[in-house]
Amino acid sequence: MYDTFKPAQPVGLMDFVRAAKSCVREIPPQTLLDKLNAREDLLLIDVREHGEYEAGHIKGAHLVPRGILEAAADPAYPKHLPELAAARERQVVVYCATSGRSAMAAAVLQMMGFKNVLNMEGGYIRWVSDGLPEEHEATY
């Protein structure tokens, strides 16, 4: 798959983010909160790093850092996350800090056969700036 992409000029992070956002659907934070409050059947995935998650996250989110997403989503991988690997037919909503990593994560999940993936616009930073509820859990 990687050998088919041969750009004329080197690409940067924002090129990847723009490409991902061009092929994924996004929802605003309030729409996600409405879905959560309505108890829609969805799997919420936070693709930030552990420290970011500990600093605050959306209640009910599963932490799957972007760097291990493919492994966590692949049922053939021994250390996959069963709930994510089995969610190919479920609604999956992903978010990160600003929506770039999660856009790339959503695009990858779609390539892996996930049928209903949504990216949260603006990420956790927008969630917080919109005044939506944050979860803070101490870990020991």
Side-chain angles (χ1 to χ4, degrees):
M1 169 181 3
Y2 291 110
D3 63 341
T4 62
F5 182 67
K6 300 195 186 316
Q9 298 292 322
V11 296
L13 172 62
M14 293 314 296
D15 296 309
F16 287 110
V17 170
R18 277 189 294 279
K21 286 191 174 206
S22 75
C23 65
V24 300
R25 293 180 297 146
E26 294 191 305
I27 59 169
Q30 183 62 53
T31 301
L32 173 57
L33 181 60
D34 294 343
K35 288 174 172 290
L36 293 169
N37 287 339
R39 299 189 189 278
E40 283 190 23
D41 180 30
L42 64 85
L43 181 62
L44 183 58
I45 302 293
D46 184 331
V47 298
R48 298 176 302 156
E49 296 298 316
H50 187 78
E52 292 174 288
Y53 181 87
E54 280 189 348
H57 58 273
I58 300 171
K59 186 175 183 175
H62 295 268
L63 176 63
V64 181
R66 176 65 195 93
I68 65 164
L69 180 71
E70 292 86 348
D74 185 350
Y77 185 73
K79 294 184 179 181
H80 66 274
L81 178 64
E83 191 164 13
L84 176 57
R88 280 177 167 71
E89 303 298 324
R90 282 179 75 190
Q91 181 175 206
V92 177
V93 180
V94 294
Y95 73 92
C96 65
T98 63
S99 78
R101 283 176 286 179
S102 55
M104 292 184 289
V108 165
L109 289 173
Q110 288 176 168
M111 286 186 264
M112 294 181 76
F114 288 76
K115 304 215 180 340
N116 189 7
V117 184
L118 300 168
N119 182 35
M120 187 177 75
E121 291 174 355
Y124 191 69
I125 289 172
R126 179 165 167 202
W127 178 274
V128 171
S129 71
D130 286 356
L132 302 180
E134 302 174 64
E135 187 81 4
H136 297 274
E137 297 172 359
T139 57
Y140 302 95

